Amino acid sequence: MATNSINAELLTKMFLAGAANLEAKKEYINELNVFPVPDGDTGTNMTLTIMSAAKEVQGLESADMTALAKAISSGSLRGARGNSGVILSQLLRGFTKEIKEHKEVDVQALASACERATATAYKAVMKPKEGTILTVAKGASEKAREMAEITNDLEVFIPEVIAYAKEVLSKTPEMLPVLKEAGVVDSGGQGLLEVLNGAYDAFQGKEIDYSAIESSVGTTMVKPDAQAQTDIKFGYCTEFIIMTEKAFTEKDEHEFKAFLESIGDSIVCVADEDIVKIHVHTNDPGLAIQRALTYGQLSRMKIDNMREEHQEKLIRDAEKLAAEQAKKEPRKDVGFIAVSIGEGMNEIFRELGVDYIIEGGQTMNPSTEDMLTAIDQVNADHIFILPNNKNIILAANQAQALTEDKDIIVVPTKTVPQGITAIINYVPEEDAKANEEMMKEEIQNVKTGQVTYAVRDTHIDDKEIHEGDIMGIGDEGILSVGQSVEATTKEMLSLMADEDSELISIYYGQDIQEEDAEKLASEIEELYPDADVDLHCGGQPIYYYVLSVE
């Protein structure tokens, strides 16, 4: 029997199922990222974006189409993180603008909604690139229009659209050489496909586990630092007592400890007559419990999610920082907001006159909501935003579009050194427009290099890279790869600096000792005697060194 329309109740289920499926597949999507840096990956950014909308949808008391459209659009716009998240939010925004006028949607309405979604997303990106999520969305919308002319049956329409989106996704490596070189499809396109697959499952009446939505909404304010997450190798602190039903021999103790070591660490196994106390950090508490049950009954069981506890600490820290920055000053003409990484970098921006610092960057892409909160706290007529990361510019632009009572100026800084250069070149005597033009011009004169480690094996920029390798990354791509931080840094710098370079600024990260940084700076001074070499404690995580050359 044909299905010709979808009401608001079913569309709500489909949207939430799409969100849940994206959450379930986010790590797989993250692994498709071509660039091997420890960053706020596509799957994570898209998931945090859609979960922000899912939270608002779940809070609806009634499921009429207008309220549903508003919740999806508002939630995704404000929660958007990273380029992929912003593009997803724009797809949802365009889609919901079309469906909000309908009590039920049929194939014609869905085709129009898909077309409007694609047009809205393309419009939001200054230089759309084919072979990305945009291309997959466009393919889906074109197929939707084609199918709308053939059938009124959604049971025919939806799977055909998804199948074609999958086909387009499979062709993305032919459109982007970097994908072909790495042997993967576009991660953003894969994320969009997972949303569509989840929605189709709900359309078919499949049982969907929505618990992922509830567990994720609490993290939309702050994403844990990637390095901190990797430090917690085993996520569950598991404790219990075994009341043994037979003698727990020394052999039993050795065997059980060996088993626990195979699934975790931080192991305590203490036997006292007919009671055995167990403590283990593991990613699968069930395995420890299952093996323990072979020795007897269990008592005083306790399982704590250590990653969740770490996230809650980060949230508390972020809230504290926001509270400290929330003391509004009297209204002034110009204010500054900067995204920064590390206390040293933060202090530099404060000394240069930045009013509000958003803690974030490569591993914790701030959301549009974070930007709007900062804008609210800066009491100025004109506010310059320095994103200092190419993956944050779109979120800043989106915050700009959502702000009506202040003049928001986004200077498209892609690195912290560019942000520092921009604010140094601010001239109080000039108006906001003139300063914007000067800043944009000056940041083009800054070359930036960043030294970090590879989080995955890949082949990119004609370089074979293995997990754990040290990489020197310039403005246009990976410049050097090696095993030594210092050697890789100097090789990277050799491709950035020349005899006309006047200033080399070095910001060392939290994992670098001051004396090691001073030694490297001295060596660089010898290599480039005509340039001034400035050394600063950046305190940034993930990046051993951030360098700029002017």
Side-chain angles (χ1 to χ4, degrees), residues 76-221:
S76 61
L77 282 173
R78 299 179 78 88
R81 294 173 187 266
N83 291 345
S84 56
V86 172
I87 293 171
L88 177 60
S89 75
Q90 290 295 322
L91 288 169
L92 293 172
R93 179 183 178 218
F95 186 89
T96 55
K97 276 188 174 181
E98 188 66 34
I99 66 162
K100 67 180 181 181
E101 304 299 331
H102 300 267
K103 288 188 175 179
E104 295 190 354
V105 292
D106 56 14
V107 293
Q108 294 296 333
L110 282 177
S112 297
C114 289
E115 289 174 327
R116 191 160 183 176
T118 301
T120 302
Y122 266 87
K123 187 178 179 181
V125 180
M126 188 171 293
K127 295 180 180 179
K129 185 181 293 186
E130 297 304 330
T132 66
I133 181 175
L134 292 171
T135 308
V136 177
K138 182 170 67 175
S141 65
E142 290 172 349
K143 189 65 175 180
R145 176 51 61 199
E146 176 189 324
M147 292 302 299
E149 305 303 321
I150 298 173
T151 182
N152 292 323
D153 187 357
L154 288 163
E155 295 184 28
V156 175
F157 174 89
I158 295 175
E160 285 290 331
V161 170
I162 293 176
Y164 188 69
K166 185 177 181 180
E167 182 181 334
V168 173
L169 177 65
S170 70
K171 295 176 180 177
T172 55
E174 301 303 319
M175 304 177 204
L176 279 178
V178 68
L179 296 176
K180 188 171 185 178
E181 187 178 6
V184 296
V185 296
D186 177 67
S187 55
Q190 184 70 52
L192 178 60
L193 186 65
E194 298 303 344
V195 173
L196 297 176
N197 285 334
Y200 184 47
D201 285 344
F203 175 79
Q204 292 178 298
K206 294 182 180 180
E207 287 293 323
I208 309 296
D209 178 10
Y210 297 114
S211 61
I213 294 173
E214 296 175 3
S215 66
S216 294
V217 294
T219 66
T220 55
M221 283 295 293

Side-chain angles (χ1 to χ4, degrees), residues 307-325:
R307 293 189 181 100
E308 184 178 63
E309 290 172 355
H310 178 69
Q311 285 186 198
E312 289 173 352
K313 180 182 182 299
L314 287 176
I315 292 170
R316 288 195 300 272
D317 291 346
E319 289 173 345
K320 181 179 178 182
L321 178 66
E324 290 173 353
Q325 298 187 100

Side-chain angles (χ1 to χ4, degrees), residues 208-389:
I208 309 296
D209 178 10
Y210 297 114
S211 61
I213 294 173
E214 296 175 3
S215 66
S216 294
V217 294
T219 66
T220 55
M221 283 295 293
V222 177
K223 177 180 177 290
D225 181 288
Q227 181 63 42
Q229 283 280 50
T230 57
D231 288 343
I232 304 176
K233 184 177 180 181
F234 298 105
Y236 295 96
C237 176
T238 306
E239 296 180 273
F240 51 81
I241 290 174
I242 308 173
M243 296 179 289
T244 58
E245 296 172 350
K246 56 183 179 180
F248 191 77
T249 65
E250 191 174 330
K251 179 183 178 184
D252 292 332
E253 183 176 346
H254 287 311
E255 289 179 351
F256 193 39
K257 279 184 177 179
F259 173 75
L260 294 176
E261 287 171 352
S262 72
I263 64 168
D265 63 11
S266 299
I267 295 159
V268 175
C269 177
V270 181
D272 183 15
E273 296 185 355
D274 56 353
I275 291 177
V276 183
K277 170 70 174 177
I278 299 296
H279 173 279
V280 62
H281 291 174
T282 178
N283 286 328
D284 196 337
L287 291 177
I289 290 169
Q290 187 175 0
R291 176 62 69 93
L293 285 169
T294 64
Y295 298 105
Q297 298 182 42
L298 304 187
S299 174
R300 300 186 185 179
M301 299 173 65
K302 182 172 177 286
I303 301 174
D304 292 321
N305 185 334
M306 295 186 293
R307 293 189 181 100
E308 184 178 63
E309 290 172 355
H310 178 69
Q311 285 186 198
E312 289 173 352
K313 180 182 182 299
L314 287 176
I315 292 170
R316 288 195 300 272
D317 291 346
E319 289 173 345
K320 181 179 178 182
L321 178 66
E324 290 173 353
Q325 298 187 100
K327 299 173 184 176
K328 291 190 178 181
E329 299 293 332
R331 189 82 167 189
K332 56 183 181 177
D333 184 44
V334 175
F336 292 90
I337 295 170
V339 179
S340 181
I341 49 170
E343 188 51 44
M345 299 289 198
N346 296 353
E347 191 57 37
I348 291 170
F349 278 119
R350 290 190 189 102
E351 290 175 356
L352 291 172
V354 170
D355 299 275
Y356 194 104
I357 292 170
I358 301 175
E359 292 276 8
Q362 192 69 23
T363 61
M364 192 170 68
N365 296 151
S367 66
T368 299
E369 179 71 38
D370 295 331
M371 297 284 183
L372 292 170
T373 298
I375 289 168
D376 183 58
Q377 297 301 328
V378 178
N379 197 15
D381 295 322
H382 309 279
I383 301 175
F384 289 86
I385 298 181
L386 308 173
N388 300 332
N389 187 302

